[in-house]
Amino acid sequence: MRFKIQVVIENEHQQEQIQNIVCLEKGSHQGHCAGLSLIESKYILKELQQRIILHQAEDYTNSNMACPCCQKQRRIKGYNTMQYKTLFGTVVIPSLRLYECACSEEPAKIFSVLKSWLPEHISPELQYIETKWASYISYERTAALMQDVLPVHATQNAVTVRNHLHKVAKRQERELEGKPLCLSGCANDWAKLPKPDKPLTVGIDGGYVRSWRDKQTNFEVIVGKSFSKIKPSKRFGFVQVLDSKPQRRLLHLLNEQGMQANQQITFR
Ligand SMILES: [Zn+2]
C-alpha cells in the first residue's frame, strides 16, 4: 500500500499549490510496523515546517516591501540567508535586505525585512521546551532526548541548550527588575479589599550543593513551593549569597498566583 503525503497551500485568492512531502510504502503483513515510524514522523514534521515557514516568509516579505509611511517601494540591497531554529528543524530562509525609504530619517540604512517578524533566530517554542526540560534533567540528557523524538538540528547539544536556558533566565531576571519589592498600600487599604481566597501555603527548604568548579566548597541553595487551592503550584529557588532580590522573587511568584494583600499566607 502506498501513502502519499502532500501539502496544499492556498493563497488569499483561493489558488492552490500542491507540494509532495513523502510517499510511504506500507505493508499490512506480519513484521511491518503499524503506522508511522519515528524516523518517518521526524522527516514529515521537518518537511512540513520547512514548506510552511518558507511560504510565510515569502508572503511577509512581499507584504512589507513598501514604505509604511509613503507606500513607495523601497530599493533592494540584496539577499542574505537566515537560519531559523525550531522544534521541527532548522529552516534556511532567504532574507531580503532593503534600503530605508528616502522619507525616513536614515535613508542610507539597510535592514532585513524579516527582522521585524523573526527578531530572534530561535523559535519561542524551542526555547520553552529546552528551558523546561533542562530545568528537570541535565543539559546533555535534554539535548539527547530532543534528538530522539524531534527533528531538531543535528548540531544541538548540551552547550546550545545551556546557552539558550541562560538567555531565557537572564530575560526573566530583567523582567523582575520592575516588579515591586514589598506589598503596596497600608493595612487600612487592605481591609477594603474583597474577601480573599483560601490561604496560600509556602514550603521552604534548603540544602548544600558542591561547587562544580571548586570541588572543595559548598554553597547553600534555598528552594520552595507555593501551594494555592485555586491555581497550580509554583516553585522557586535561589542561592542566598548570590541573589540580590530574593524578596522580590518570592513576592512576584505569590502575585502570579493571585495573592491579595489581605490574604493569609502560611510559611512552613
Ligand atoms: Zn517612505
Side-chain angles (χ1 to χ4, degrees):
M1 207 180 299
R2 193 171 286 162
F3 295 89
K4 289 181 181 174
I5 298 176
Q6 299 177 316
V7 56
V8 181
I9 302 148
E10 188 183 296
N11 64 17
E12 69 267 35
H13 309 296
Q14 279 77 50
Q15 293 162 328
E16 287 186 351
Q17 185 189 341
I18 298 173
Q19 292 184 358
N20 294 322
I21 298 288
V22 70
C23 181
L24 303 170
E25 297 280 352
K26 291 277 172 186
S28 55
H29 317 296
Q30 244 183 358
H32 283 252
C33 87
L36 294 172
S37 69
L38 189 55
I39 290 178
E40 288 164 349
S41 73
K42 283 162 76 170
Y43 179 79
I44 293 167
L45 267 178
K46 191 177 168 186
E47 285 295 312
L48 266 178
Q49 184 76 315
Q50 175 108 352
R51 312 296 167 100
I52 293 171
I53 289 183
L54 286 178
H55 273 87
Q56 283 180 294
E58 189 185 349
D59 197 43
Y60 184 88
T61 303
N62 292 337
S63 314
N64 288 277
M65 297 274 286
C67 167
C69 297
C70 66
Q71 307 306 320
K72 277 187 190 163
Q73 290 291 310
R74 291 179 282 203
R75 276 198 306 134
I76 294 174
K77 166 68 179 170
Y79 274 94
N80 272 356
T81 53
M82 73 170 282
Q83 286 203 347
Y84 189 61
K85 292 184 173 135
T86 79
L87 276 172
F88 313 124
T90 297
V91 185
V92 179
I93 311 173
S95 172
L96 178 67
R97 296 169 79 221
L98 297 176
Y99 287 99
E100 281 288 6
C101 179
C103 79
S104 148
E105 285 178 4
E106 295 178 87
K109 200 177 162 194
I110 297 157
F111 69 100
S112 164
V113 178
L114 291 178
K115 184 88 179 163
S116 50
W117 181 47
L118 303 173
E120 290 189 292
H121 287 219
I122 171 167
S123 77
E125 282 190 334
L126 176 56
Q127 290 182 61
Y128 168 70
I129 292 293
E130 279 181 331
T131 307
K132 187 175 177 180
W133 289 9
S135 67
Y136 296 137
I137 53 176
S138 71
Y139 300 128
E140 201 171 334
R141 286 302 310 143
T142 299
L145 197 55
M146 291 182 82
Q147 293 282 359
D148 277 349
V149 297
L150 291 164
V152 289
H153 201 263
T155 57
Q156 202 215 27
N157 56 30
V159 175
T160 51
V161 172
R162 180 180 178 275
N163 289 344
H164 294 158
L165 179 136
H166 280 211
K167 197 172 142 198
V168 172
K170 281 178 185 163
R171 192 175 67 220
Q172 288 183 326
E173 284 297 297
R174 282 197 300 275
E175 286 169 6
L176 203 59
E177 286 297 332
K179 304 292 177 196
L181 187 64
C182 53
L183 287 175
S184 58
C186 65
N188 283 342
D189 298 333
W190 301 340
K192 293 173 196 158
L193 290 171
K195 192 167 175 273
D197 283 313
K198 296 201 168 91
L200 286 167
T201 305
V202 180
I204 297 182
D205 204 349
Y208 286 90
V209 179
R210 192 171 65 178
S211 171
W212 175 257
R213 288 197 180 87
D214 180 5
K215 306 276 192 249
Q216 302 304 313
T217 59
N218 295 323
F219 59 91
E220 190 182 13
V221 178
I222 307 291
V223 290
K225 190 173 178 182
S226 166
F227 302 88
S228 159
K229 293 264 165 48
I230 50 163
K231 293 212 173 178
S233 306
K234 275 189 173 278
R235 294 177 179 82
F236 62 93
F238 53 87
V239 177
Q240 203 170 2
V241 291
L242 293 178
D243 198 332
S244 56
K245 37 188 174 289
Q247 193 180 341
R248 190 174 291 179
R249 194 179 304 284
L250 178 58
L251 186 64
H252 174 57
L253 179 134
L254 293 170
N255 282 336
E256 277 197 325
Q257 286 195 290
M259 177 193 69
Q260 276 189 200
N262 59 346
Q263 191 163 0
Q264 187 186 332
I265 303 172
T266 309
F267 285 92
R268 285 186 176 156

